[in-house]
Amino acid sequence: MILGHCCKDGSCLQVCPQNCIHPAPGEPEFELVEHLYIDPAACIDCSACVDACPAQAIKPDTALTETEQTYAEQSGVYFDLLATSRSPRITTPAIPTALGSGPIRVAIVGAGSAAMYTVRELLQRSSSVQITVFEQSSHFGGLLRTAVSPDQQGIRQMARLFDVPFADPRVETRFDTRVGVEVTMQSLLKRYDAVVLAHGATRPREIAAAATTDVHQAIDVLAAAYAAQTDGTGPVGLLAGPTAVIVGGGNVALDIATTIAKRRILTRAGAPISRVVIVARSSASQPSFTFSALHELSQLDVDISVDTGGTRIGVDSKDPLARLLSAFAREGSAPTRSARLSVELIFGQEVTALTTAEGRIRLDTDKVAAGGRVRLKTAAGNVVTADSVIMASGFTCEPLPGVALRSDGAVDNHHGRVVSPVTGEPIEGLYVVGWAKRGGRGGVGENRRCAAQTVDMIVADNG
């Protein structure tokens, strides 16, 4: 059975002898589903997919915990619906085009998961390629190391995928080297046949705000929680309390709430956080987080309430996330406080400003909340106060000289070829992959297909 933290890397499809894992890349549902499914009627329990899964997201049915049984139910529903609509296609992976027989030198900027898949793809396509990876930090892994919750061990352990490609003799890694500082983009384009920007989107999205010590970045909170877990120092007294507001409605926001619920993060006074408010810009009908993220949080000692912002979500929906949200949705009533932590999800509210706050101020037109240290104002004119604020509203790219960024903060490109900010034409020898190419969306596994597309462009230009 495939669990919710499936990365959709697709390694399992390549080893399945029964072609019973769906949807595959190219099938209509692939971009729509949170995770892949194994057809229980066709599976022969060979366990090949268990060994192939880089996120360790596949388990035998007999090993599922009570909490994980929901994924078995979802799998049955998926294939029941598939049987009534169409027969699964037999998918044959396309044979990638080789990079050519001559030597080619490639520079890769960044050493995160997008870079790792790009290195793998290049090594598979050429025996004579020479790759140099430039990484500004002292280690590889990127956000896979720094922005994944300590509870997501399956995803964190994907770091082992770096071991083989980065140890290949055709690959050189230069750590503590910043492109634009220690080495210029112009020099890379002169020295290498292809330069691939894989530096990701690591700059947190900014909201105009007054400087305050009680506003934290999600990446810092998760890093502190992970460090506390690994070095044995215990819970982290990072936040003021007892109310923490998380700005952003994606999986990272729910991962932080889950981490707080597990008591890895306490207030600076040593007391637990008792209230978490997640302020999401997205609509309740199209939440940015996944079913598995909310399901994991719901299994803890928390009271969850949902303010849909007036959006109707049906309990009879075929979407398991919509059904779960509708179960938590509140219609004007205050959330219960029977658990040690209350988590409130507020949809449809874009935070536009953060300022310091004093005394008692309004949360909305009807309710009054105890004053906190920070005041958040939304585009709709609502105000929320908190003792601490955690920014989890996504990431944008760090700008590089001569490289244009789109409005979503990603590098302007066409299928991986970087384009000129002046002419709109491809810049010779310059490519992009990962979040720097797509914007801050998509999981680790999506970088595999993203890297293949970019390498296809390199092959076409250097054939």
Side-chain angles (χ1 to χ4, degrees):
M1 193 57 54
I2 298 179
L3 305 181
H5 64 277
C6 162
C7 69
K8 295 170 67 176
D9 165 284
S11 297
C12 55
L13 285 85
Q14 296 183 339
V15 301
C16 177
Q18 296 296 102
N19 190 46
C20 65
I21 301 176
H22 292 275
E27 293 182 350
E29 300 87 358
F30 183 81
E31 300 297 336
L32 303 177
V33 299
E34 173 186 338
H35 55 83
L36 307 184
Y37 298 91
I38 299 175
D39 185 350
C43 177
I44 59 174
D45 297 323
C46 69
S47 298
C49 59
V50 176
D51 297 330
C53 178
Q56 298 183 333
I58 305 179
K59 295 176 67 173
D61 290 0
T62 55
L64 295 178
T65 67
E66 182 177 352
T67 298
E68 294 167 343
Q69 289 293 335
T70 183
Y71 297 108
E73 297 169 4
Q74 289 182 32
S75 184
V77 170
Y78 174 81
F79 284 102
D80 286 345
L81 291 173
L82 196 64
T84 62
S85 58
R86 64 175 181 85
S87 299
R89 287 204 301 262
I90 302 297
T91 54
T92 303
I95 299 175
T97 306
L99 191 52
S101 57
I104 181 172
R105 296 174 299 170
V106 179
I108 298 179
V109 181
S113 58
M116 180 270 295
Y117 280 113
T118 304
V119 170
R120 278 182 27 169
E121 193 73 25
L122 288 167
L123 293 176
Q124 291 168 3
R125 304 232 197 158
S126 171
S127 60
S128 58
V129 67
Q130 294 294 322
I131 304 170
T132 305
V133 179
F134 296 88
E135 168 55 40
Q136 65 178 357
S137 70
S138 58
H139 51 74
F140 53 70
L143 292 178
L144 186 62
R145 291 175 60 101
T146 58
V148 177
S149 166
D151 300 311
Q152 302 294 337
Q153 286 301 311
I155 299 298
R156 277 189 167 274
Q157 289 177 13
M158 290 185 72
R160 70 186 187 278
L161 295 177
F162 289 75
D163 294 344
V164 172
F166 277 69
D168 191 285
R170 292 169 287 174
V171 180
E172 175 190 4
T173 305
R174 298 183 185 179
F175 293 112
D176 301 310
T177 304
R178 292 168 294 174
V179 173
V181 181
E182 283 82 13
V183 60
T184 66
M185 181 66 69
Q186 290 76 11
S187 67
L188 293 181
L189 289 170
K190 288 180 180 179
R191 290 163 50 195
Y192 294 90
D193 300 296
V195 177
V196 182
L197 304 180
H199 59 302
T202 59
R203 170 182 285 189
R205 294 188 185 277
E206 296 181 355
I207 295 175
T212 171
T213 57
D214 293 310
V215 176
H216 308 271
Q217 294 297 334
I219 192 170
D220 297 327
V221 175
L222 290 173
Y226 180 68
Q229 176 184 333
T230 55
D231 65 17
T233 58
V236 179
L238 184 64
L239 307 176
T243 298
V245 169
I246 302 173
V247 179
N251 276 5
V252 172
L254 267 68
D255 284 346
I256 292 173
T258 297
T259 302
I260 292 174
K262 291 185 175 180
R263 301 299 180 109
R264 289 201 179 104
I265 299 180
L266 305 179
T267 68
R268 289 196 289 271
I273 299 291
S274 61
R275 179 174 177 240
V276 171
V277 181
I278 299 174
V279 182
R281 179 177 56 182
S282 58
S283 165
S285 62
Q286 293 182 310
S288 298
F289 54 80
T290 59
F291 168 85
S292 60
L294 182 59
H295 176 67
E296 181 182 3
L297 177 62
S298 71
Q299 300 304 300
L300 304 176
D301 184 20
V302 296
D303 286 326
I304 299 177
S305 61
V306 175
D307 183 343
T308 67
T311 300
R312 295 181 62 85
I313 47 178
V315 70
D316 57 347
S317 170
K318 295 179 180 179
D319 180 5
L321 177 55
R323 294 198 303 270
L324 188 56
L325 275 174
S326 66
F328 293 129
R330 59 185 169 105
E331 299 178 1
S333 59
T336 58
R337 297 295 172 86
S338 60
R340 64 186 183 185
L341 177 69
S342 69
V343 177
E344 302 163 39
L345 289 102
I346 303 176
F347 285 98
Q349 295 291 330
E350 181 179 1
V351 175
T352 57
L354 305 177
T355 58
T356 57
E358 299 292 338
R360 296 170 64 84
I361 62 174
R362 290 190 177 279
L363 175 62
D364 56 32
T365 55
D366 299 317
K367 306 179 183 68
V368 175
R373 299 171 184 268
V374 188
R375 175 187 299 188
L376 300 86
K377 186 175 181 179
T378 72
N382 295 330
V383 175
V384 182
T385 56
D387 300 294
S388 291
V389 173
I390 302 169
M391 301 301 299
S393 54
F395 300 93
T396 61
C397 281
E398 291 284 351
L400 291 172
V403 178
L405 298 181
R406 303 188 309 239
S407 59
D408 64 353
V411 173
D412 201 2
N413 72 95
H414 182 66
H415 298 311
R417 290 187 178 104
V418 178
V419 299
S420 166
V422 178
T423 67
E425 294 297 317
I427 299 175
E428 184 177 356
L430 188 58
Y431 307 87
V432 64
V433 69
W435 273 8
K437 173 183 173 182
R438 309 188 305 269
R441 61 183 184 274
V444 175
E446 190 167 336
N447 289 318
R448 182 175 183 175
R449 292 169 294 281
C450 182
Q453 182 189 58
T454 295
V455 173
D456 281 342
M457 300 299 103
I458 298 175
V459 170
D461 296 341
N462 292 273

